């Protein structure tokens, strides 16, 4: 892409017109090759934010991200899952997706958890795992080996997407959500067969699910709860788009079907106003000491994954399986003995 075509691409989005999937992919290829100036990228991201991204543009951006990601040294011949969300809901909840991932791995479902440091949340996946003693300093080969041996690995985004160094400073300076927030969860370098993605707005569930379908996912769920969470909520219904391997369906999950006790509905075990508090809630759920709203939230989201993976016939059944695994300390034992988490 020449300097002239870069300018033309910028003019297209500034004027409110959409790019084709190929144009979007090519533009991000140039960004991640270091060929786009910071002022051009800043203008492009701002214009994209103002006009809104199309399904085709997001698909192209994801392909551009995947083009520049570090590739694993082997192909995986088995099904596995990722539970990475977009973040950005601003609710200050404990890190549900990481606890759900650990729960699934303890139940024998391979998980390649893609994530980063906290940007909009109090405690990102890497923040909480590092606080438990998980090493983020792994080579790609070490990550592959850990995944194959233990059935769980955390893929620290900066290590797998080094070309993002060309976009990082601009994203930080802009300070608002851009399409990078949306494509991050879709850019897992291991390319999981199954995926659950929480998004920060209901309008995103269908297009993100269609992108996953187009990228080759066997099954996928993309969700947003009506109380504003980028995951399934125990407090309000959750809207979700479900790709079952053949068709894409729109559904609503009502948490009243879980029949939670009063203690399990107390939001104080889900939300915190500090990083330390969020990590403490994480540890409390992981310990499996007693039922709580935080534990139920994790069990619900893990239950959705069990349903997606075909281990149960209903989300409610998956919720109970996951809840039992946490309360029996199966998840804590897996974290301590298999992953050496403290």
């Amino acid at each position: 892409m020449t300097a002239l075509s870069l300018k033309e691409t910028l003019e297209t989005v500034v004027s409110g017109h959409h790019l084709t999937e190929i144009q979007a992919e090519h533009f991000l290829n140039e960004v991640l090759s270091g060929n786009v100036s910071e002022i051009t990228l800043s203008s492009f991201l701002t214009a994209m934010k103002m006009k809104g991204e199309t399904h085709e543009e997001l698909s192209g951006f994801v392909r551009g991200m995947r083009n520049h990601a570090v590739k694993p040294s082997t192909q995986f011949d088995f099904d596995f899952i990722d539970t990475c969300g977009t973040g950005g809901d601003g609710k200050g909840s404990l890190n549900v997706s990481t606890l759900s991932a650990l729960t699934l791995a303890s139940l024998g479902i391979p998980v390649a958890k893609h994530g980063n440091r906290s940007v909009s949340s109090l405690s990102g996946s890497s923040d909480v795992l590092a606080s438990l003693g998980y090493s983020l300093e792994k080579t790609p080969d070490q990550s592959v080996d850990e995944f194959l041996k233990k059935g769980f690995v955390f893929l620290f985004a900066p290590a797998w997407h080094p070309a993002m160094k060309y976009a990082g400073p601009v994203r930080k300076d802009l300070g608002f959500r851009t399409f990078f927030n949306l494509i991050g969860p879709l850019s897992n370098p291991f390319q999981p067969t199954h995926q659950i993605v929480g998004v920060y707005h209901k309008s995103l569930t269908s297009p993100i699910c269609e992108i996953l379908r187009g990228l080759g996912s066997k099954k996928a769920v993309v969700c947003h709860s009506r109380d504003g969470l980028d995951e399934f909520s125990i407090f309000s219904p959750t809207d979700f788009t479900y790709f079952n391997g053949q068709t894409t369906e729109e559904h609503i999950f009502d948490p009243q079907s879980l029949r939670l006790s009063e203690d399990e509905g107390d939001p104080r075990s889900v939300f915190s106003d500090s990083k330390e508090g969020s990590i403490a809630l994480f540890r409390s759920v992981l310990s499996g000491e007693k039922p709580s709203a935080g534990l139920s939230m994790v069990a619900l989201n893990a239950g959705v994954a069990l349903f997606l993976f075909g281990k149960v016939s209903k989300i409610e059944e998956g919720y109970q399986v996951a809840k039992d695994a946490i309360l029996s300390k199966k998840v804590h034992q897996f974290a301590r003995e298999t992953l050496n988490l403290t």
Side-chain angles (χ1 to χ4, degrees):
M1 183 176 282
T2 65
L4 178 60
S5 59
L6 281 172
K7 181 179 179 181
E8 289 172 345
T9 300
L10 177 59
E11 288 177 346
T12 297
V13 296
V14 167
S15 63
H17 295 106
H18 303 312
L19 303 177
T20 66
E21 182 173 336
I22 292 176
Q23 287 175 319
E25 179 180 353
H26 284 177
F27 185 85
L28 200 62
N29 280 337
E30 292 299 297
V31 171
L32 300 181
S33 297
N35 298 330
V36 178
S37 69
E38 290 192 352
I39 191 168
T40 297
L41 179 57
S42 177
S43 300
F44 182 84
L45 292 175
T46 302
M48 269 286 170
K49 175 77 170 181
M50 293 178 68
K51 83 170 187 63
E53 304 88 355
T54 66
H55 172 278
E56 290 76 15
E57 288 168 337
L58 289 173
S59 294
F61 293 143
V62 172
R63 294 185 187 280
M65 280 285 285
R66 290 190 173 192
N67 292 341
H68 290 266
V70 175
K71 305 299 188 293
S73 57
T74 187
Q75 297 291 316
F76 306 107
D77 59 359
F78 53 87
D79 290 345
F80 61 102
I81 196 167
D82 186 10
T83 60
C84 181
T86 61
D89 61 24
K91 298 294 183 177
S93 61
L94 81 163
N95 198 297
V96 172
S97 67
T98 304
L99 279 164
S100 298
L102 293 173
T103 302
L104 295 170
S106 76
L107 291 168
I109 295 178
V111 180
K113 179 81 173 74
H114 188 221
N116 207 337
R117 292 188 177 90
S118 173
V119 177
S120 56
S121 65
L122 292 171
S123 180
S125 299
S126 66
D127 300 302
V128 71
L129 286 172
S131 76
L132 297 173
Y134 188 93
S135 174
L136 302 178
E137 305 299 323
K138 292 184 175 71
T139 67
D141 285 344
Q142 287 172 333
S143 292
V144 169
D145 187 58
E146 177 177 310
F147 183 45
L148 294 175
K149 289 181 177 178
K150 299 182 177 182
F152 176 90
V153 69
F154 178 72
L155 304 174
F156 187 41
W160 290 89
H161 300 280
M164 278 296 291
K165 66 183 179 182
Y166 296 113
V170 172
R171 292 181 68 196
K172 184 176 180 180
D173 286 346
L174 288 177
F176 54 75
R177 284 194 303 254
T178 68
F179 64 77
F180 282 110
N181 296 80
L182 293 175
I183 67 175
L186 312 182
S187 306
N188 187 318
F190 281 21
Q191 298 185 22
T193 58
H194 294 62
Q195 195 154 353
I196 294 179
V197 177
V199 293
Y200 51 78
H201 197 278
K202 177 187 174 183
S203 64
L204 296 168
T205 64
S206 181
I208 295 298
C209 197
E210 287 298 331
I211 290 171
L212 286 169
R213 179 179 183 175
L215 291 170
S217 290
K218 288 187 177 181
K219 291 186 178 182
V221 163
V222 184
C223 64
H224 179 77
S225 73
R226 294 185 180 180
D227 53 349
L229 299 175
D230 65 335
E231 53 216 356
F232 278 72
S233 175
I234 62 169
F235 304 112
S236 295
T238 297
D239 295 285
F240 68 101
T241 304
Y242 170 42
F243 172 53
N244 62 16
Q246 295 181 324
T247 61
T248 303
E249 307 166 351
E250 303 293 333
H251 293 279
I252 301 170
F253 179 80
D254 189 342
Q256 289 189 4
S257 65
L258 301 178
R259 302 184 184 280
L260 301 176
S261 68
E262 186 174 339
D263 288 342
E264 292 173 301
D266 186 344
R268 288 177 296 180
S269 63
V270 176
F271 302 103
S272 175
D273 58 3
S274 70
K275 179 178 180 178
E276 294 75 17
S278 181
I279 291 175
L281 292 177
F282 186 103
R283 286 181 175 273
S284 177
V285 171
L286 183 61
S287 72
E289 289 295 336
K290 61 181 180 179
S292 67
L295 191 151
S296 294
M297 184 82 83
V298 171
L300 171 57
N301 283 270
V304 174
L306 289 169
F307 167 75
L308 184 68
F309 220 75
K311 296 297 184 181
V312 296
S313 60
K314 298 192 305 180
I315 290 175
E316 291 85 351
E317 182 184 352
Y319 162 79
Q320 194 59 55
V321 171
K323 182 178 179 181
D324 290 345
I326 301 171
L327 289 174
S328 69
K329 301 189 184 299
K330 183 181 184 72
V331 182
H332 186 255
Q333 183 178 1
F334 173 83
R336 188 180 67 246
E337 297 181 1
T338 306
L339 300 178
N340 300 315
L341 302 187
T342 57

